[in-house]
């Protein structure tokens, strides 16, 4: 199986699939091609929240503002998963999540993330490495076998420190546990505002009222706990606090955008 994630929209992913299918009969799965354009951190977040649910596969992730520059192509192996994409940090949060999942399953297996540089010849295009670099790389890795990637001439093992890191900022919770300050990580298509404030901050506070900027919102476990059009604070499936609106868009009421500072006060 090969999964594909990008910010390409349409029709570019079709060319990637065509390249892959020229050399392999792998099952192809589109995770999404609607990742926020050129936003590496947002792409890393969404892929971290989706890809670990897949069985063993080669995962292509291409959000690549540096396409055509001297940035490397890398592959990361985590157990029986392989991630291939640009070395701009987009792969590493996904790899960490896969690693944590594998450690849980194996009761403490350590050092299960392996990093490789993927050498490629001069691509046909300086602006479409998804087609010319990462698609053929995914096909080669799939046919070689994830466990045997070292046998590929294009693959060279490298230390983690040789690859670009991507970490999400941490939120701050006051010592009296009545306020938290964080940042908007991403906004989904529903207009739900996903922050980096851990969901534990809202533990046992269902029904309480809090302020976010100039907006007062109720802490709930579901959207339907408040009336249509009312704002709410809840914990999303990713484990972080969201600023949402029941049957509405959180961005319109809370007036927050990606990377804005968020302060929640009780």
């Amino acid at each position: 199986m090969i999964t594909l994630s990008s910010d390409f929209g349409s029709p570019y992913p079709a060319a990637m699939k065509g390249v892959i299918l020229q050399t392999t009969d792998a099952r192809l799965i589109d995770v999404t091609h609607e990742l926020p354009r050129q936003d590496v951190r947002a792409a890393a977040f969404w892929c971290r929240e989706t890809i670990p649910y897949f069985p063993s596969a080669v995962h292509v992730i291409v959000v690549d503002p540096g396409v055509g520059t001297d940035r490397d192509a890398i592959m990361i192996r985590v157990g029986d998963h392989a991630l291939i994409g640009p070395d701009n940090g987009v792969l590493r949060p996904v790899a960490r999540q896969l690693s944590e999942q594998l450690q849980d399953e194996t009761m403490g297996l350590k050092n299960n993330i392996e990093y490789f540089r993927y050498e490629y010849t001069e691509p046909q295009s300086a602006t479409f490495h998804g087609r010319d670099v990462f698609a053929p790389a995914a096909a080669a890795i799939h046919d070689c076998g994830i466990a045997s990637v070292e046998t590929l001439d294009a693959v060279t093992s490298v230390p983690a420190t040789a690859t670009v890191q991507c970490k999400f900022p941490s939120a701050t919770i006051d010592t009296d546990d009545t306020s938290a300050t964080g940042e908007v990580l991403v906004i989904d298509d529903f207009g739900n505002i996903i922050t980096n404030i851990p969901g534990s901050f809202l533990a046992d506070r269902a029904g309480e009222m809090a302020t976010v900027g100039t907006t007062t919102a109720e802490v709930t476990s579901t959207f339907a706990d408040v009336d249509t059009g009312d704002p709410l604070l809840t914990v999303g499936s990713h484990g972080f606090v969201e600023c949402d609106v029941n049957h509405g868009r959180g961005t319109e009421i809370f007036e927050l955008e990606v990377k804005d500072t968020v302060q929640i006060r009780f």
Side-chain angles (χ1 to χ4, degrees):
M1 180 187 297
I2 297 175
T3 75
L4 304 172
S5 305
S6 76
D7 60 352
F8 291 163
S10 177
Y12 297 109
M16 295 174 63
K17 294 178 185 179
V19 168
I20 293 170
L21 293 174
Q22 286 182 31
T23 60
T24 180
D25 60 356
R27 181 185 181 191
L28 303 182
I29 302 293
D30 292 302
V31 177
T32 179
H33 296 291
E34 302 299 333
L35 291 168
R37 298 291 170 84
Q38 299 187 344
D39 189 334
V40 171
R41 190 178 79 169
F45 177 87
W46 288 121
C47 289
R48 184 187 72 175
E49 296 303 314
T50 54
I51 285 175
Y53 289 96
F54 280 88
S56 173
V58 178
H59 306 284
V60 182
I61 303 175
V62 190
V63 173
D64 193 13
V67 62
T69 69
D70 60 357
R71 65 97 186 90
D72 288 328
I74 62 167
M75 191 206 80
I76 304 178
R77 180 170 60 192
V78 188
D80 55 2
H81 292 266
L83 306 166
I84 179 78
D87 184 20
N88 59 13
V90 70
L91 303 182
R92 292 193 61 174
V94 188
R96 288 195 296 270
Q97 187 66 25
L98 284 167
S99 174
E100 290 176 10
Q101 179 175 294
L102 183 59
Q103 288 181 30
D104 288 343
E105 293 171 354
T106 58
M107 300 180 65
L109 179 65
K110 303 296 183 182
N111 301 320
N112 55 4
I113 306 180
E114 301 168 275
Y115 299 85
F116 303 87
R117 182 173 292 110
Y118 197 94
E119 302 292 343
Y120 55 91
T121 57
E122 190 68 25
Q124 180 181 341
S125 167
T127 62
F128 197 1
H129 285 191
R131 178 194 67 192
D132 299 340
V133 176
F134 301 116
I141 293 165
H142 176 272
D143 283 356
C144 169
I146 294 170
S148 303
V149 292
E150 293 93 339
T151 63
L152 292 172
D153 291 339
V155 167
T156 305
S157 178
V158 295
T161 53
T163 65
V164 175
Q165 178 65 282
C166 176
K167 289 186 176 181
F168 301 109
S170 297
T172 301
I173 298 176
D174 289 354
T175 54
D176 60 3
D177 207 36
T178 59
S179 69
T181 303
E183 183 177 309
V184 178
L185 290 179
V186 292
I187 295 171
D188 69 17
D189 288 347
F190 293 98
N192 298 324
I193 298 167
I194 300 168
T195 77
N196 65 339
I197 298 172
S200 57
F201 178 64
L202 299 185
D204 302 320
R205 281 181 159 145
E208 292 187 34
M209 305 300 292
T211 59
V212 181
T214 59
T215 301
T216 300
E218 183 177 339
V219 177
T220 72
S221 57
T222 71
F223 288 84
D225 289 338
V226 297
D227 292 337
T228 295
D230 282 356
L232 62 104
L233 297 176
T234 194
V235 181
S237 60
H238 35 67
F240 294 105
V241 174
E242 292 188 11
C243 304
D244 303 335
V245 173
N246 184 24
H247 287 88
R249 299 187 64 82
T251 49
E252 294 177 358
I253 288 187
F254 290 94
E255 298 183 330
L256 291 168
E257 298 296 338
V258 173
K259 295 188 178 180
D260 281 355
T261 297
V262 181
Q263 185 176 49
I264 299 174
R265 299 185 305 275
F266 285 95

